[in-house]
Every structure is written in structure tokens, then in C-alpha cells.
Amino acid sequence: MTMTSNAEVIVAGAGPVGLLLACELALAGVRVTVLERRTERVAQSRALTMHGRTLEMLALRGVAGRFQARGMPIPSGHFAGLPTRLDFSACDSTYPFTLFIAQSVTEELLEAWAGELGVDLRRGATLDASGQDEEGVWVTGTRAATPFRLAARYLVGADGARSLVRRQAGIAFDGLPPTKTAMLGDVLLRTPPAGRALSLGNAAGGLMLVPLGGELYRVIVVDAQDIGVPVEVPVTLEGLAAATRRVAGDDFGMHAPQWLSRFSNQTCLAQSYRRGRIFLAGDAAHIHLPAGGQGMNVGMQDAMNLGWKLAGALRGRADAAWLASLLDSYQAERHPVGAALYRNTLAQSALMMDAFDPAGQALRATLSELMKGAELNATLAHELSGFGIGYPAALLPVAGGGQACARWTGRRLPDWPLLHADGTASSVYRHLAGGRWLLLRVDGGARPDWQGPPDGAWLDTVTATVPARAAELDGVAALVVRPDGYVDHAVAALVTA
């Protein structure tokens, strides 16, 4: 057993979730080792969508530009492939769009960032077992035909739907088995549709065509005739073309397949995201129909939430009880997000895979018409994008008068422009790039009755006004902002004689 490591955290899996988590830990100086069974990055891209909140998270750390340079912004999205599109312009963000970017590119950029931060990434490492005791965790496996055993303080399973870490930790993966499937193919098209992209649904099924560049297209077909085919059955070009013709009346001259696959409506949620020193994130914690491009994004948001908390537990000098409650908050905050994901993807599955008869088609048409209303459209846009996520409880003690500002607790902060007393300007996210807490004093004349988190060294303080939000911030002396850009709580301005 020749492989050694001085890691404080072991991350199983080097997909977008594991890589982002590793970056977040390394940014705080935490020693992290990532173990990945694949020797090379996967060339195919299941995910093609980066939602605005995920891009916002990357902006919090100053790297969003790398992804924007390689992707294409799209101002709308879909819910269950319905004709009425979701309008992300209703979202209060610098990034009111989805970024069309291949998962392979996302992984490439995250791996490069991880390398800059000194993350220890070890490919070709297959895990066989894992466990924990009161002092730490351990994993065993094989790399280059050589057995290894590594130990650390914490272990995170970002190792996908069949997560060994989850199974070895004894965490149940409850949900619904696969009952229906759809086909996916990256193929060349000789006669692509007018407008290049296409989305339609009818009694024969549903179809999405997405241009990937040149003559290469992503074709996704829900075929009412073959919807019960098991997910294990290989997809053929002939089968994909025939299904496309049944739904669209044309196969658009598809040929030269680059990748063919089948996916199901299986939907599962881990009973818990934590067991002792072992945590789950991404597909290890939740799987579902890939509807609305949410899987990778929710997983990356898991990673951000967990990363700074693990870093705080390892680097913080605060009271042990508070640090323990900080780690407990990962389950408290992210499991409800997974449950909401479970519900909305099941709803989309019903609309996409069960709505072929006249009643189902009528339901789709009715909901699509209702989505033309601004309120429902905005609600769904916020849910799918991640902009609508908030957290109900403060993690830090709220100072006197804090109840008057309770409406701020758990709110996501956009990248507000700030104006400083010396006339210089900055923005909120610039002051969060280091992954630390921020005390944003927005009323220079008020004295916040609050000194900082239990570990005062984990805090930056900035004094500035927010001219565009002056009315909204009336009566607020300061916002206590978490490292992930959510307001922990607001501090009310003290009235002085």
C-alpha cells in the first residue's frame, strides 16, 4: 500500500461536484485529496446547462468569467418541454440566463482551477471500502494495480448515483424505480430544422434538438411507442431516427452518431446527506429525470454549501458546539432543496412521459397557457435556476434588534454595486472571493451591535452604501453575509439620542 496522503478531507469523485467542493476547501487552505476512478475526463456531456445561480457562485470566487468565455447565454429555459418558455429576466441577478456550456468544458475549467489551488487529484483510483470512527475516516482501494489505504478527518461522496460511499455509510436511497425511458444521441444532421433548435410535444411523444456546433446536434426523444424499453437496452442510430420520425415526421438526416444513450425517470433522494464524518453531495445524494438541467447545478450548489462549512470546522477556532452545528446545517439546508428537486422533476416527468393521451395533451396545453402569466413563470424560473433558494434560520446569534430585520435572513445577495466613503466603487462579490464571512456595514452613521462570528478571524468588514438599494435597506445598519453569498441575518440600526 504505497499511496500516502496528508489530506484533511477526501472527496470521492472528480465530476463538477467533487471538483468544486475541492476548490472551495483548498481556497481556505484545507488539504484535500480527490479520488477518481476514471483515468481521463469524460468526453461526453450529459449536462449542457449551467444555471444562473451556479454561475453566480463561481462569480463569488472570481472565476465566472472563465465559464462565460466558453459558453453561450440563453435568456430562457423550459419546464417539462412546454411551449411557453421560462423567462429568467425576472430574476434579480447579474446572470439572468442559463449558460449553454458542455459538462466536459465545465469539468476542464474546474480541474484547471483545482490545479491552481493545489488540489491533490488522483485519477485511476478505484474505491473498495470506506468507514469512520470518532477520530476520522478511511478509504481503501486500488490504483495502478496497487492497493492503497488513506485516512482523513472527513469524507465526501460525490461519486454518483451508485455511490459506494453512500452504500458503505448505510444511508438509504429512497424513491421510485425506473419505469419509463427516453433516448439521447449526439449526431450529425444533414437537414437541420429551420431555426436550428427545436422543441415539440404531441401524442407521439416529445423531441428536443439542440445544436452543439457545426452539424452536431443533441437529440432527445421521448417516444410513446417505446417508452417502456429498459434503460439497459442500447440505443441504435436506427432506433433514434425512427423515434424522431414518429414524433416530428422527419429524422433530419441524422447520421454519424458520436454518443448514444438512454436515461430513465428513476427518482431517489438520500435519507440523509450526512452520517457522522461522511457527507454526500450531487448525484450521490439525489437522482432524477434530467429535466430542466438541474442535476449538475443542484449538485454544485451542494458543494458550495458544504465546502465553506467543512473549511470552517477544520480551520475555525470557535466554540466546538457552534462548529458542530455549522456542519449539521448542511443537512438542514440542502436536504429540503433535494426534496423540492424530487418533486419538481417528478412533476416534469408526468408532463413529459405520461401525457400522450388527449387528457395529458390538454393538461400540457393548459399549464403552458398559465405559464404566460408573469407570477407563475417567475416562480418556476426561480425554482429551476436556483435563484429562489433561501434558508430559514440564521447560523449565528442574532444581535439585539435583529428581529426587526428578520426578512433578510437566508436571502441570496445579488452582486450589488457598492460606493465607499472615499468615492471608490466595488461590488459585494469582490469582498467574498476569499470564502470568508462578510460584515457589510451599509449605514456608516450607525453602530452595529454585533462583533462577528464566534471565530472573529474568519470575518472581513466593509463599509459602503448601496445607492440602488437605499430604500430596501432603510433601518439596517449591517448585513452579516455568509461565505456563499446568503445573508445570515441583518443588524438593525440603533437609535441614538
Side-chain angles (χ1 to χ4, degrees):
M1 294 192 180
T2 59
M3 193 162 80
T4 61
S5 169
N6 66 346
E8 295 166 283
V9 178
I10 296 170
V11 177
V17 176
L19 288 171
L20 180 60
L21 174 63
C23 289
E24 187 71 2
L25 290 166
L27 188 68
V30 173
R31 300 186 304 276
V32 54
T33 292
V34 181
L35 303 177
E36 169 57 52
R37 65 180 178 82
R38 295 185 177 92
T39 57
E40 301 289 342
R41 289 193 304 273
V42 177
Q44 297 84 16
S45 297
R46 283 200 173 273
L48 296 174
T49 298
M50 181 175 286
H51 278 294
R53 174 53 192 166
T54 306
L55 196 56
E56 208 172 55
M57 290 189 327
L58 295 167
L60 282 163
R61 300 298 180 255
V63 296
R66 305 182 187 191
F67 296 82
Q68 286 181 278
R70 300 285 296 277
M72 179 178 69
I74 300 176
S76 64
H78 78 88
F79 185 85
L82 294 172
T84 302
R85 302 281 291 178
L86 297 178
D87 180 7
F88 294 119
S89 68
C91 302
D92 181 13
S93 173
T94 311
Y95 308 97
F97 51 80
T98 62
L99 190 70
F100 184 82
I101 183 171
Q103 182 175 330
S104 58
V105 175
T106 296
E107 291 186 13
E108 173 195 338
L109 294 172
L110 288 172
E111 186 172 334
W113 185 30
E116 295 166 17
L117 294 171
V119 169
D120 178 18
L121 171 59
R122 305 187 183 189
R123 292 191 173 276
T126 301
L127 295 188
D128 297 327
S130 61
Q132 63 179 314
D133 55 30
E134 291 184 359
E135 300 300 319
V137 298
W138 55 266
V139 298
T140 61
T142 305
R143 189 183 189 216
T146 302
F148 68 82
R149 178 186 173 94
L150 298 179
R153 296 279 300 280
Y154 297 98
L155 169 64
V156 181
D159 50 342
R162 293 182 291 276
S163 171
L164 179 136
V165 172
R166 184 190 65 237
R167 288 185 278 115
Q168 298 252 316
I171 298 174
F173 203 40
D174 302 322
L176 302 176
T179 58
K180 297 178 175 67
T181 61
M183 289 180 282
L184 176 154
D186 290 348
V187 298
L188 301 185
L189 298 185
R190 292 190 180 92
T191 56
R196 291 174 58 79
L198 177 65
S199 176
L200 59 87
N202 52 45
L207 173 72
M208 293 185 69
L209 293 181
V210 181
L212 300 179
E215 296 181 358
L216 186 63
Y217 279 72
R218 168 70 52 87
V219 180
I220 301 174
V221 189
V222 177
D223 182 7
Q225 179 174 306
D226 288 333
I227 201 164
V229 175
V231 71
E232 298 82 10
V233 175
V235 175
T236 65
L237 177 64
E238 294 74 20
L240 183 68
T244 301
R245 287 193 297 271
R246 282 192 286 273
V247 176
D250 191 349
D251 65 14
F252 307 100
M254 66 175 64
H255 65 287
Q258 311 293 302
W259 181 40
L260 298 171
S261 183
R262 199 182 302 272
F263 59 88
S264 79
N265 62 343
Q266 183 177 12
T267 309
C268 296
L269 178 66
Q271 192 174 74
S272 173
Y273 284 15
R274 180 188 184 188
R275 177 148 297 175
R277 293 178 173 271
I278 296 174
F279 297 82
L280 304 176
D283 286 355
H286 42 76
I287 60 169
H288 51 85
L289 183 76
Q294 297 175 88
M296 180 191 78
N297 288 275
V298 174
M300 290 176 70
Q301 292 159 26
D302 292 341
M304 169 69 85
N305 188 285
L306 177 59
W308 67 268
K309 292 173 180 178
L310 274 175
L314 288 163
R315 289 289 176 266
R317 298 189 295 274
D319 176 75
W322 183 78
L323 291 175
S325 72
L326 184 65
L327 290 182
D328 287 341
S329 73
Y330 175 63
Q331 161 75 15
E333 292 184 346
R334 295 306 298 177
H335 197 271
V337 174
L341 177 68
Y342 188 105
R343 290 191 300 272
N344 92 52
T345 51
L346 276 184
Q348 292 189 74
S349 175
L351 286 163
M352 296 172 74
M353 307 183 95
D354 293 310
F356 306 120
D357 61 9
Q361 292 295 296
L363 176 61
R364 284 179 58 87
T366 300
L367 182 55
S368 185
E369 190 66 25
L370 290 172
M371 285 170 56
K372 293 178 181 178
E375 185 174 354
L376 176 58
N377 197 294
T379 296
L380 293 174
H382 278 81
E383 181 169 359
L384 264 69
S385 65
F387 288 134
I389 293 172
Y391 299 120
L395 301 178
L396 296 172
V398 178
Q403 290 304 311
C405 298
R407 63 190 176 87
W408 284 95
T409 295
R411 284 178 58 176
R412 174 190 61 84
L413 274 193
D415 194 14
W416 289 344
L418 305 177
L419 181 63
H420 303 275
D422 61 2
T424 60
S426 66
S427 71
V428 172
Y429 289 5
R430 171 185 163 188
H431 302 287
L432 289 164
R436 293 155 57 88
W437 288 79
L438 174 66
L439 176 64
L440 177 60
R441 297 184 56 177
V442 296
D443 181 355
R447 180 178 61 85
D449 184 21
W450 189 78
Q451 300 302 314
D455 180 3
W458 196 18
L459 173 74
D460 293 323
T461 301
V462 172
T463 301
T465 59
V466 192
R469 306 282 176 151
E472 192 176 356
L473 289 165
D474 185 42
V476 174
L479 297 176
V480 183
V481 186
R482 301 165 18 152
D484 55 3
Y486 288 90
V487 177
D488 186 76
H489 64 277
V491 181
L494 295 180
V495 178
T496 58

